[in-house]
Amino acid sequence: MTGTVYQLEVNPQLPERLERLEELANNLWYSWDRPTQGLFASLSHPLWKATNHNPKAFLKRADQKRLEAIAEDPVFLGALNRVVSAYDTYHEMPAMAQVHGQPFADDDLIAYFCAEFGFHESLPIYSGGLGILAGDHCKAASDMGLPFVGVGLLYRQGYFQQALTADGHQQATYNDSDFDDLPVSPVVDEAGGEIVVDVDMPGRIVHAKVWEAKVGHVRLILLDSWLPQNAEHDREITHRLYGGDKTTRIEQEILLGIGGTRALQRLGLQPTVWHVNEGHAAFLILERIRRLVKGGLPYAAALEAVASNVVFTTHTPVPAGHDHFPEEMIRHYFANWCHDLGLGCEHLMALGAEPGKADFNMTAMALRGSRHHNGVSRIHGDVSANICRYLWPQIEPQENPMDYVTNGVHLPTFLAPEWFETFGHYLGIGWQERQTTPSNWHGIDDIPDATFWSIRQQLKSKLLKLVRERIREQHHRNQGSPSHLDRLLKYADPDNPNILTIGFARRFATYKRAALLFQDPAWLREIITQADRPVLFLFAGKAHPADLPGQEIIRQIAHWAKQPEFEGRILLVEGYDLHLSRSLVAGVDVWLNNPIYPLEASGTSGMKAAMNGALNLSVLDGWWGEGYDEGEDGVANGWAIKPVPGHLSEAQRDAEEARTLYELLQDQVIPTYYRTGPMGYSPEWVAMAKRSIATIAPRFNVIRMVSQYVGKFYAPAARDGRQFAGEDFAVARHVADWKARVRAAWPGVRLHRLDAPERRLKFGTSIHLELAVQLNGLHPEDVTVEALFGRPGRNGGIGRVRHYALTCAGPGEHGAMRYTLELTPELCGKLEYRIRAFPTHPSLIHPLETGLMIWL
């Protein structure tokens, strides 16, 4: 058939009784409220699947007659009324807003900037873990009733859709989103006109349209440069998530940080806390400094005022993973910024400077432009403190201002629906509001083992059904034979899910070592091919289109999956997305994770699996370093692969940790699963799975995470911001002047001991310390001199340290000040002590933020 094809979409008219379906479809509350999703799906399961579970697109394509019929159906109307009632109740006041107190003033507002947000497959502006975490963060803020607004970019093309050839070659396809189908709407002014903000780029102005998505109570502000008034190049800035070259990347980050800040101003929103989630958004710091300096504040004071209420979270433990831009590129894009402020570009370059590096480091700027910093697990906090130690050069990493908040996941989003009724019965009414309370989860033990196992098998059956659909689709596309498909799907049988199923699904970055399982194929074959104890491995994930080593790992897994001994036992599933992810974490028996220590900043997929009753088998890295619990009663909540010492070669490390993996599978995981009792399941396995839920769900949910952000960072940052801005920024001015004076004088500060050190004391007698401190023009109140006492520790350090401040006793000889301490030790045995001095000021947000310290 020839001729031009014209497309036409006819949208139905919602009957009056169904009008609130449109409101439900335009609030991402549906992304975690399962009854709302079920309501739409019940109208037409095929259409619900075809629209990728997108309520807004669903309503545009629903059959008019079906809508009119359902509007007269009392059963559907009853379900709709229940959902609408829950929706209205939630929006009047989330239940957890009362459980988690809000230590904020009426005018406080937290602005959360991130390059990607992952709420649901219906809004594809995310690529992976960072986006999903950002989405969960917003959901928790809504659940907790926090004053919170998210800021990001609205991409025409989100992350790519993945297809795999028969040989495991990844094929990336990008599709433009139809914004009319997305749960977003343009933000308009009082006259009804669409709001557009302008962002300066070299030699031109880029215009960005402002969109809004509703996430329960939370607003998400998104910028879009695909406008006719922009040149073609500038339209492309928000075309593709993480697309293009360095130029595209810096322009996306300028639009996010500077454009996002201007969008909030244009909307009349005045944040009192600014959260920079990863370095992509750090240019907001420059925009805020620009405003204050243009208003008459000196640059140094403006930096202090801005930094006082900025929270910065870093997510990568790899130094090369932090964004860098060449110096000439930064000068090119920010020459006008320097000119406007009357500053030399050296001030700008100093913000992003890293010793020994010529490039401008976005993480360095984010850290210098903030006073509240954190990694995303305890291990990652330590790694980040070490990576960023150059910012506080005289402070030991364990004492520098880098803190941590371990990630968590949004329980209503990732807990399978099958668990909710059971948890409600055994944990009691309101159990979700008590999800951070460990005792709330004791009721897990009361669930009958048979009931628990039945739910786990239901979830696995659903997963295997989805896996079969995906494998069948990719097999047919690759023109495989029907008999080969039968062999592939032999063990993935939804009607007989009594097979140990192990999942590995995440981004295929090399440090995650997806192919570690195949270090010793002969041993692996011996372990998993026993007829009475079969094992099914499910692999899924994407490699960035530019990550050739990551794509090679996918090919390696595809190669092993095709070997006769592994055929059907190892399945590589294409098209990893949120829908598949939710099914995997809910349905597998074991979640496998074997990254190179300590390169897993946190990880969250294992948390999602654990709260659904799966058991983690993981390297003790990221969150699992905190989550693994051997159990006092001998019932562990999973299995741990202990990292080998760092001095070993890469080959030795991989071989040793692969051996541990094989031994755990062979000696513990597989035997425990198949040590079945008379009811057809393993009581030991069920006990471990229950313990997994009870120990992990209360600690690694996002409500706990955001509560810690509130207590550690948000509430203090709001307070600090008000303090530094008060009385015409008097504190910011004073602290900036004080820091300048201290930095100038510090090289001349000297410590000299006046007393003769004693080697032995009788218990109950005191030691006298006396120092001469040359302050080089500083005042005694500018400096803290202290002694650190403790037992001898490892690597030449002191164990548990006790701090004792020395008192200034007045002038001494040669212009020095005398400092003394009389101390009666409380411990016997060998002790060590050291003496140091560092600048101190009552308005410092962290006592060691200057990075200056000298030791005697």
Side-chain angles (χ1 to χ4, degrees):
M1 185 180 295
T2 60
T4 301
V5 176
Y6 298 94
Q7 293 186 341
L8 176 67
E9 180 177 283
V10 180
N11 300 139
Q13 291 276 0
L14 275 180
E16 184 177 350
R17 289 182 173 181
L18 306 183
E19 283 181 348
R20 293 204 67 185
L21 283 174
E22 188 169 359
E23 184 178 354
L24 294 173
N26 280 282
N27 192 313
L28 282 155
W29 183 69
Y30 68 71
S31 69
W32 71 91
D33 187 71
R34 301 305 175 87
T36 303
Q37 297 172 28
L39 190 71
F40 284 101
S42 68
L43 286 167
S44 171
H45 287 280
L47 182 59
W48 180 243
K49 183 178 179 181
T51 56
N52 202 25
H53 316 124
N54 182 336
K56 190 171 179 180
F58 180 95
L59 289 182
K60 289 174 60 181
R61 294 159 178 79
D63 180 71
Q64 183 70 46
K65 291 182 180 179
R66 172 64 174 159
L67 292 175
E68 291 172 355
I70 209 75
E72 304 298 327
D73 182 345
V75 175
F76 181 85
L77 292 177
L80 173 60
N81 288 336
R82 288 190 294 274
V83 166
V84 167
S85 176
Y87 176 86
D88 290 340
T89 300
Y90 178 89
H91 283 79
E92 287 169 7
M93 175 63 75
M96 276 183 273
Q98 299 173 3
V99 177
H100 301 271
Q102 300 176 34
F104 297 105
D106 291 341
D107 61 345
D108 275 327
L109 178 64
I110 303 156
Y112 180 88
F113 283 65
C114 192
E116 54 173 300
F117 288 87
F119 299 99
H120 189 256
E121 55 267 31
S122 58
L123 184 58
I125 56 171
Y126 62 92
S127 70
L130 177 67
I132 304 304
L133 181 76
D136 281 6
H137 201 119
C138 293
K139 292 173 184 179
S142 176
D143 289 342
M144 297 166 66
L146 300 182
F148 195 92
V149 59
V151 181
L153 301 179
L154 184 58
Y155 305 97
R156 290 272 154 184
Q157 295 180 348
Y159 212 44
F160 66 94
Q161 284 76 51
Q162 179 200 53
L164 297 176
T165 68
D167 294 327
H169 285 77
Q170 176 177 277
Q171 297 175 325
T173 303
Y174 290 91
N175 297 313
D176 281 5
S177 295
D178 182 347
F179 285 2
D180 287 340
D181 284 349
L182 303 185
V184 298
S185 57
V187 182
V188 297
D189 57 24
E190 294 179 355
E194 294 180 347
I195 291 180
V196 175
V197 296
D198 297 337
V199 177
D200 303 299
M201 296 284 182
R204 70 205 194 271
I205 301 293
V206 173
H207 312 282
K209 182 177 175 179
V210 181
W211 297 75
E212 177 181 14
K214 295 178 181 177
V215 187
H217 286 272
V218 165
R219 300 176 72 183
L220 175 64
I221 304 303
L222 300 167
L223 300 184
D224 163 32
S225 69
W226 194 269
L227 302 177
Q229 57 265 49
N230 283 331
E232 183 176 353
H233 168 81
D234 293 335
R235 295 178 199 171
E236 295 285 341
I237 294 175
T238 59
H239 188 209
R240 179 178 295 176
L241 172 63
Y242 300 142
D245 54 13
K246 280 270 189 186
T247 297
T248 302
R249 174 61 69 90
I250 195 172
E251 290 178 352
Q252 286 184 339
E253 297 189 3
I254 289 170
L255 188 63
L256 174 61
I258 295 177
T261 302
R262 293 181 182 180
L264 294 179
Q265 182 184 33
R266 181 73 171 78
L267 297 177
L269 300 176
Q270 298 180 326
T272 53
V273 178
W274 301 74
H275 190 162
V276 177
N277 193 43
E278 196 54 284
H280 310 117
F283 286 132
L284 71 82
I285 293 165
L286 299 186
E287 173 65 7
R288 293 185 62 210
I289 290 174
R290 185 191 67 82
R291 285 193 206 167
L292 293 179
V293 173
K294 295 289 283 185
L297 197 62
Y299 169 76
L303 176 58
E304 293 298 331
V306 166
S308 67
N309 62 357
V310 172
V311 179
F312 171 59
T313 301
T314 177
H315 290 265
T316 175
V318 185
H322 301 272
D323 273 350
H324 296 74
F325 296 107
E327 178 178 347
E328 59 270 20
M329 180 175 274
I330 295 295
R331 289 179 178 271
H332 176 64
Y333 278 92
F334 289 96
N336 285 341
W337 184 87
C338 297
H339 181 267
D340 283 352
L341 274 57
L343 296 172
C345 276
E346 64 273 9
H347 288 85
L348 172 62
M349 297 310 301
L351 283 176
E354 182 180 358
K357 305 287 179 64
D359 283 357
F360 186 93
N361 185 330
M362 293 294 287
T363 295
M365 179 176 68
L367 288 166
R368 290 190 176 101
S370 62
R371 293 292 175 264
H372 309 270
H373 338 282
N374 70 284
V376 289
S377 71
R378 184 181 62 213
I379 293 172
H380 180 234
D382 293 341
V383 171
S384 297
N386 193 54
I387 290 174
C388 302
R389 64 188 302 170
Y390 63 87
L391 289 155
W392 306 283
Q394 297 177 6
I395 310 298
E396 291 299 312
Q398 63 268 25
E399 279 196 288
N400 73 29
M402 181 62 70
D403 205 333
Y404 77 93
V405 172
T406 303
N407 286 342
V409 298
H410 191 245
L411 185 147
T413 298
F414 292 101
L415 185 68
E418 287 80 357
W419 286 117
F420 278 88
E421 184 177 348
T422 302
F423 283 3
H425 181 73
Y426 290 97
L427 303 184
I429 296 172
W431 67 271
Q432 289 192 64
E433 285 73 51
R434 303 188 303 273
Q435 63 183 269
T436 60
T437 305
S439 60
N440 176 60
W441 297 89
H442 291 170
I444 292 291
D445 287 335
D446 298 329
I447 301 174
D449 285 0
T451 300
F452 188 96
W453 183 255
S454 175
I455 293 174
R456 290 289 310 142
Q457 294 298 82
Q458 289 176 46
L459 294 173
K460 192 194 302 185
S461 181
K462 287 176 64 175
L463 167 62
L464 296 180
K465 182 179 178 181
L466 177 60
V467 166
R468 287 175 73 92
E469 291 175 1
R470 296 277 180 113
I471 293 292
R472 186 178 291 114
E473 182 179 332
Q474 69 190 66
H475 189 75
H476 287 166
R477 190 189 64 253
N478 291 324
Q479 300 180 336
S481 70
S483 57
H484 183 207
L485 181 62
D486 290 341
R487 292 195 300 272
L488 284 178
L489 299 180
K490 176 181 178 180
Y491 298 100
D493 183 0
D495 297 326
N496 183 25
N498 296 306
I499 181 172
L500 175 60
T501 303
I502 301 177
F504 183 104
R506 51 187 51 84
R507 181 166 55 94
F508 278 109
T510 52
Y511 77 87
K512 294 180 182 287
R513 294 191 299 185
L516 185 69
L517 183 68
F518 306 102
Q519 274 276 313
D520 189 336
W523 193 355
L524 178 64
R525 179 174 62 249
E526 179 184 340
I527 292 171
I528 72 171
T529 59
Q530 299 179 43
D532 59 336
R533 301 196 306 186
V535 181
L536 173 65
F537 283 92
L538 301 177
F539 284 86
K542 299 175 178 178
H544 190 280
D547 183 6
L548 298 182
Q551 293 178 47
E552 175 58 30
I553 292 173
I554 297 177
R555 289 193 289 274
Q556 290 177 25
I557 295 171
H559 164 77
W560 288 113
K562 291 171 65 177
Q563 302 309 302
E565 63 268 38
F566 296 134
E567 192 171 59
R569 301 177 187 273
I570 296 170
L571 297 179
L572 179 59
V573 187
E574 70 180 11
Y576 188 50
D577 57 12
L578 259 176
H579 178 53
L580 178 57
S581 170
R582 288 193 299 268
S583 297
L584 281 165
V585 296
V588 298
D589 298 301
V590 174
W591 195 255
L592 176 63
N593 188 32
N594 39 242
I596 297 172
Y597 179 91
L599 302 185
E600 181 82 297
S602 175
T604 56
S605 57
M607 304 172 189
K608 300 163 190 171
M611 65 174 52
N612 280 287
L615 296 174
N616 278 272
L617 169 56
S618 177
V619 170
L620 285 173
D621 196 8
W623 80 279
W624 191 233
E626 302 164 51
Y628 174 61
D629 183 354
E630 292 180 329
E632 296 179 359
D633 55 359
V635 179
N637 64 355
W639 295 275
I641 301 170
K642 297 178 181 178
V644 300
H647 68 270
L648 296 182
S649 69
E650 180 179 333
Q652 290 174 311
R653 177 199 64 214
D654 288 353
E656 184 68 22
E657 292 180 8
R659 176 174 180 170
T660 303
L661 172 59
Y662 292 142
E663 290 173 344
L664 287 170
L665 287 170
Q666 172 184 276
D667 301 333
Q668 298 187 41
V669 179
I670 297 173
T672 302
Y673 183 86
Y674 284 106
R675 200 174 292 125
T676 56
M679 299 294 289
Y681 59 82
S682 166
E684 296 173 61
W685 190 275
V686 171
M688 289 185 69
K690 286 183 176 181
R691 185 168 182 82
S692 176
I693 295 175
T695 57
I696 291 170
R699 293 179 58 201
F700 297 98
N701 63 73
V702 76
I703 299 298
R704 184 275 308 158
M705 181 191 88
V706 175
S707 295
Q708 287 189 320
Y709 274 103
V710 169
K712 279 189 171 185
F713 302 127
Y714 291 163
R719 180 191 64 233
D720 296 335
R722 281 190 291 271
Q723 179 188 9
F724 272 64
E727 299 180 3
D728 191 29
F729 298 94
V731 173
R733 296 172 189 268
H734 178 64
V735 168
D737 292 342
W738 177 85
K739 284 185 176 180
R741 183 165 58 84
V742 166
R743 289 187 178 116
W746 198 252
V749 174
R750 298 284 186 271
L751 303 181
H752 176 67
R753 189 161 184 180
L754 299 177
D755 65 288
E758 297 187 59
R759 295 295 304 269
R760 289 179 177 81
L761 290 177
K762 290 291 186 182
F763 182 77
T765 59
S766 62
I767 182 174
H768 173 76
L769 304 181
E770 185 169 351
L771 270 71
V773 181
Q774 178 55 255
L775 294 176
N776 195 29
L778 297 178
H779 306 299
E781 60 268 24
D782 293 330
V783 177
T784 289
V785 181
E786 66 176 7
L788 280 63
F789 277 76
R791 301 283 191 195
R794 295 181 178 180
N795 302 320
I798 300 178
R800 185 178 176 183
V801 174
R802 300 186 183 190
H803 299 250
Y804 300 93
L806 279 71
T807 302
C808 183
E813 296 180 354
H814 311 296
M817 301 297 293
R818 291 174 52 249
Y819 281 78
T820 62
L821 173 67
E822 294 285 337
L823 174 68
T824 302
E826 300 173 4
L827 301 173
C828 286
K830 288 187 177 294
L831 302 177
E832 289 185 352
Y833 66 95
R834 300 178 186 187
I835 302 171
R836 67 185 187 181
F838 56 88
T840 188
H841 190 283
S843 293
L844 291 182
I845 293 170
H846 188 283
L848 302 179
E849 71 181 60
T850 63
L852 302 175
M853 181 176 289
I854 55 173
W855 294 84
L856 180 65

